[in-house]
Amino acid sequence: MSASLIDLTESRLLAREQAAMDNPDELFYCSYLISHLNLVAADLPESDEAFLHNVQESLDNAFAVDQLSDQDKSGIKSLWQDVCGETVSPIAS
């Protein structure tokens, strides 16, 4: 597993978090995703694909038990898809 995808994903989320200081919803979404990313990264996934899959699985499991609003779930999913698109494209090229 290349640590570069984890680092790149985290740096993109941290940049989004910094830019979202005036948007409490996006700030929450970023923090929520960063915590899941760090939990998955601590288990040292075997590949980039496993890392992305495990973060998605972690989110799905959390959504099943967390008492988040549908708006929060949608915002988190949307941000995760945006960040995945931003991080996977540079790695693939």
Side-chain angles (χ1 to χ4, degrees):
M1 153 93 211
S2 168
S4 64
L5 180 61
I6 293 171
D7 293 340
L8 183 58
T9 305
E10 183 176 35
S11 69
R12 301 245 173 150
L13 282 170
L14 290 171
R16 296 279 293 257
E17 186 179 48
Q18 287 297 314
M21 289 301 176
D22 293 334
N23 183 339
D25 288 336
E26 182 143 345
L27 190 59
F28 170 71
Y29 305 153
C30 289
S31 297
Y32 193 89
L33 282 172
I34 290 167
S35 65
H36 282 270
L37 181 144
N38 288 329
L39 287 172
V40 169
D43 287 337
L44 302 173
E46 295 178 12
S47 67
D48 290 347
E49 293 79 16
F51 166 70
L52 295 171
H53 171 80
N54 293 351
V55 172
Q56 184 61 56
E57 185 175 63
S58 177
L59 292 172
D60 292 342
N61 291 338
F63 288 167
V65 295
D66 285 350
Q67 296 183 0
L68 297 170
S69 70
D70 289 340
Q71 178 183 345
D72 285 342
K73 289 177 187 177
S74 177
I76 292 165
K77 288 176 186 178
S78 177
L79 178 58
W80 178 238
Q81 291 304 312
D82 287 350
V83 170
C84 283
E86 291 173 3
T87 56
V88 173
S89 296
I91 296 293
S93 44

